[in-house]
Amino acid sequence: MKIVTQVKLMPEADQAAALLATLHTVNEAACWVSGVAFERGVPREYELRKHTYAELKARGLGAQAAQHVIKKTRDAYTTLKANVRAGNLGKPGSKRRIKAESKPITFRPEAAQPYDDRCLSWQYDAGTVSIWTTAGRLKNVLFACSPDAFKMLREHRKGESDLIERDGVFYLIAVCDVPEADQYEPSGFIGVDLGITNIATTSTGYRAAGRGLNRHRKRQLDLRKKLQAKGTKSAKRLLKKRSRKEARHTANINHIVSKAIVTTAERTGSGIALEDLTGIRSRVRLRKDQRTALHSWGFLQLGQYIEYKAKRAGVPLVYVDPAYTSRQCSECGHIDRRNRRSQAMFACRSCGALMHADDNASHNIGRKGETVWNAGRESRVPATP
């Protein structure tokens, strides 16, 4: 299981200048490689290397750095193609899609640059790294991180690390390969209903209210409108700062909610059933004043947090079809659109069961989770005659 760990670099003045110059050089080179790839119809990485490697070496890049620049560029086009195929850039002929496909991909001067073990080494006892730059190899560059992050690095770091610059501060984003725990046989499944009003509601009675997060987002939205109306450089700078702050706040809440759900499942020996909400933003039709809340909904991030925490704890996790989970009665199974009286109230028109709508949905999701798990365990071998 891959987990990333962020560490802060604390270089000297001359080391910081070398790191910044390196990022500018490699990203300028990546923009040039992107232009070559676009002109030649985005060839495969091996073919792209034949057209660009010699020039990258002439620009002062090392062998490994040149390879990473080419791979980074090719991966960017792969991501673009996947987004186009998934419809994330709009329908064919839309302005956004035409704009994305009609010109080469460009890279910011401070965009991340990947490093492998040939051009980056870690000295854990000294708390330093040795890193390649266009000015030569920098040694004894200090880094700082939390004790938990340091333990993670020392025990599980494996693979590439990305060098990034943010507001004049340099960071290394290191990949750690953490072994997954063995899954146990669940005694049942905890259904998790994800929503906007309530971030998550489980069939065990846990409910994470979204009121505080939604109010925080509303305040940030109002502030963004005022700053965008100003349009000054300082306003744009503050917009970027507030955007990162809102993202950190949302991620922290999702971490808290996911940890509570996984801990409960582990303590009770249960599995976790989540809704498969892929494509929900394109399926749902809402009024204009409701679209901001829908597109700010962080259900994907929360699901990813629950998934990786469950893998680390050995908790079984399955995804289920969310169809009719909010309309079906968890007591008698009757499905009717009119069962959902309001956002919070569920009243079955068949058996008269009355409960919170999210609680009802979570029980349906949990029951579907058991069905999916049992179907996966069934033998598909034909019976011996």
Side-chain angles (χ1 to χ4, degrees):
M1 179 177 57
K2 305 293 185 182
I3 296 179
V4 296
T5 300
Q6 177 177 286
V7 301
K8 178 181 178 181
L9 294 181
M10 298 182 293
E12 303 290 341
D14 56 337
Q15 293 175 336
L19 290 173
L20 186 60
T22 299
L23 283 180
H24 287 178
T25 301
V26 296
N27 285 302
E28 182 182 354
C31 291
W32 174 78
V33 174
S34 177
V36 174
F38 186 79
E39 291 175 2
R40 297 182 176 273
V42 193
R44 292 184 178 181
E45 185 180 336
Y46 178 76
E47 184 181 349
L48 183 60
R49 186 179 294 118
K50 292 192 297 184
H51 297 296
T52 58
Y53 181 76
E55 173 63 22
L56 292 177
K57 290 284 290 183
R59 290 177 177 232
L61 272 64
Q64 288 301 113
Q67 302 281 11
H68 284 303
V69 166
I70 296 169
K71 186 176 185 300
K72 177 173 75 171
T73 305
R74 189 61 186 83
D75 289 346
Y77 278 100
T78 302
T79 302
L80 174 62
K81 185 177 179 180
N83 283 326
V84 170
R85 190 187 305 114
N88 296 334
L89 298 177
K91 299 179 180 179
S94 64
K95 291 183 179 180
R96 186 181 180 191
R97 181 164 174 173
I98 293 174
K99 183 179 179 181
E101 295 179 316
S102 62
K103 60 182 181 180
I105 293 175
T106 58
F107 296 85
R108 295 178 294 104
E110 294 83 18
Q113 172 65 14
Y115 282 78
D116 59 19
D117 289 341
R118 294 184 180 182
C119 42
L120 173 68
S121 61
W122 300 76
Q123 295 79 46
Y124 298 113
D125 293 334
T128 61
V129 296
S130 173
I131 187 170
W132 172 88
T133 68
T134 53
R137 189 89 174 191
L138 296 183
K139 297 183 178 180
N140 301 322
V141 180
L142 295 172
F143 71 86
C145 60
S146 66
D148 290 339
F150 184 81
K151 182 180 179 182
M152 178 74 69
L153 280 173
R154 190 158 201 161
E155 296 179 357
H156 304 295
R157 192 203 66 80
K158 184 178 181 180
E160 295 182 352
S161 301
D162 287 350
L163 174 66
I164 65 171
E165 185 269 342
R166 188 186 304 137
D167 297 334
V169 181
F170 293 93
Y171 299 91
L172 281 172
I173 312 297
V175 177
C176 299
D177 192 359
V178 181
E180 298 180 12
D182 295 333
Q183 283 190 354
Y184 54 78
E185 184 66 26
S187 58
F189 273 82
I190 298 176
V192 182
D193 179 59
L194 305 179
I196 298 176
T197 302
N198 293 311
I199 301 173
T201 304
T202 70
S203 54
T204 58
Y206 171 74
R207 182 178 297 122
R211 181 180 179 184
L213 179 59
N214 293 332
R215 291 173 67 179
H216 175 78
R217 284 176 173 157
K218 180 64 169 59
R219 289 196 300 269
Q220 299 303 314
L221 178 62
D222 294 339
L223 179 60
R224 279 200 301 273
K225 290 179 180 178
K226 295 178 182 178
L227 293 174
Q228 288 168 349
K230 282 185 175 294
T232 60
K233 287 186 177 180
S234 59
K236 293 177 181 178
R237 188 164 56 246
L238 186 57
L239 274 170
K240 291 176 63 177
K241 180 179 178 181
R242 303 299 298 186
S243 175
R244 290 196 294 265
K245 184 175 182 179
E246 181 179 354
R248 290 194 303 270
H249 181 72
T250 303
N252 181 59
I253 290 178
N254 284 338
H255 271 301
I256 294 172
V257 174
S258 61
K259 184 176 181 180
I261 294 172
V262 173
T263 301
T264 301
E266 184 180 13
R267 187 182 68 248
T268 58
S270 305
I272 298 174
L274 291 176
E275 300 169 283
D276 183 4
L277 299 176
T278 303
I280 189 173
R281 290 192 173 98
S282 60
R283 296 196 306 268
V284 176
R285 294 184 179 181
L286 296 174
R287 298 192 308 269
K288 188 174 182 180
D289 60 338
Q290 295 176 320
R291 293 173 191 168
T292 300
L294 174 66
H295 291 282
S296 300
W297 185 17
F299 67 88
L300 177 60
Q301 185 186 67
L302 177 57
Q304 290 173 340
Y305 288 174
I306 295 174
E307 183 174 353
Y308 95 79
K309 285 179 170 62
K311 287 181 178 179
R312 292 187 66 178
V315 176
L317 184 143
V318 296
Y319 285 91
V320 303
D321 185 359
Y324 305 111
T325 53
S326 62
R327 299 180 183 179
Q328 182 178 11
C329 177
S330 59
E331 297 290 339
C332 67
H334 176 67
I335 300 175
D336 193 325
R337 182 178 182 180
R338 295 171 294 177
N339 286 347
R340 186 75 179 260
R341 302 295 298 275
S342 65
Q343 187 280 323
M345 181 182 293
F346 183 91
C348 181
R349 299 179 66 86
S350 176
C351 68
L354 183 66
M355 67 191 83
H356 194 284
D358 292 343
D359 289 336
N360 175 75
S362 66
H363 287 291
N364 289 328
I365 295 168
R367 191 173 294 112
K368 282 190 173 186
E370 292 185 17
T371 303
V372 170
W373 178 263
N374 291 330
R377 291 188 302 169
E378 289 178 0
S379 175
R380 297 289 186 255
V381 179
T384 304

